[in-house]
Amino acid sequence: MKLNVAINGEAKEFDIHPKDMLLDVLRDDGYTGVKRGCSTGDCGACAIILDGKAVNSCILFAAQAEGGKITTVEGIGNPKVPSPVQREMTDAGGIQCGFCVPGIVVSATALIDENPEPTEDEIREALDGNLCRCTGYVKQIEAITLAVKETRKTRGARLGVA
Ligand code: FES
Ligand code: FES
């Protein structure tokens, strides 16, 4: 069967089996920022944004994404042009081994896109499904809080109210 989706703004068509999982389709196509951790929907390493919501791609059949708009961590930013969340994760020391980081960046980005002024509790809630074995989350929450402030400034400047 065919799967038609937009990935990071690019229209893509895949030949898939009905039982293919979205994580495999993405990784096979080179989106290796989407990590495989548990494969059971428990760790958040495979998070992507599908039609505005952060979802775990390891428990989603690829066919369920038909017609959808997917953002992977590669579409959020890159080392040369990092997003505010990516920059603050680095600057605030929210990265140790780094395995959880793409998923955390995806979850935080989906949150800020939907709710540009999240409280700390809302940030914690958004990261509920992302497991990090290294950091204890403190630096990561701090990084996302700083990214919210940075995004607010950028938005204010755009609107002429900064
Ligand atoms: S690999 Fe998907 S939630 Fe862990
Ligand atoms: S930085 Fe190692 S799992 Fe999060």
Side-chain angles (χ1 to χ4, degrees), residues 82-161:
S83 73
V85 173
Q86 289 168 321
R87 189 166 36 249
E88 297 299 349
M89 284 287 279
T90 308
D91 292 354
I95 303 175
Q96 288 186 28
C97 82
F99 191 80
C100 67
V101 171
I104 291 203
V105 166
V106 164
S107 295
T109 302
L111 169 69
I112 297 170
D113 284 352
E114 193 178 12
N115 172 10
E117 302 281 342
T119 61
E120 186 178 318
D121 282 351
E122 287 169 331
I123 294 172
R124 287 180 183 278
E125 201 177 311
L127 298 193
D128 220 21
N130 294 91
L131 298 187
C132 175
R133 301 170 55 155
C134 308
T135 67
Y137 302 98
V138 173
K139 297 282 182 196
Q140 297 182 335
I141 305 281
E142 193 181 306
I144 296 164
T145 305
L146 289 169
V148 166
K149 284 189 188 148
E150 193 183 323
T151 309
R152 185 189 302 141
K153 263 195 223 152
T154 317
R155 204 172 47 249
R158 250 198 341 260
L159 299 173
V161 294

Side-chain angles (χ1 to χ4, degrees), residues 8-73:
N8 303 332
E10 188 184 345
K12 294 250 174 167
E13 184 176 88
F14 298 94
D15 283 311
I16 57 163
H17 185 276
K19 287 191 177 166
D20 285 345
M21 305 313 287
L22 187 55
L23 171 62
D24 298 309
V25 171
L26 292 170
R27 287 187 58 85
D28 288 351
D29 200 47
Y31 299 97
T32 51
V34 190
K35 300 295 181 203
R36 179 188 300 285
C38 61
S39 296
T40 53
D42 295 310
C43 76
C46 65
I48 57 159
I49 303 174
L50 174 62
D51 295 330
K53 298 277 176 212
V55 294
N56 289 329
S57 59
C58 70
I59 51 168
L60 211 61
F61 289 115
Q64 290 176 278
E66 173 58 27
K69 288 194 177 85
I70 292 171
T71 304
T72 68
V73 71

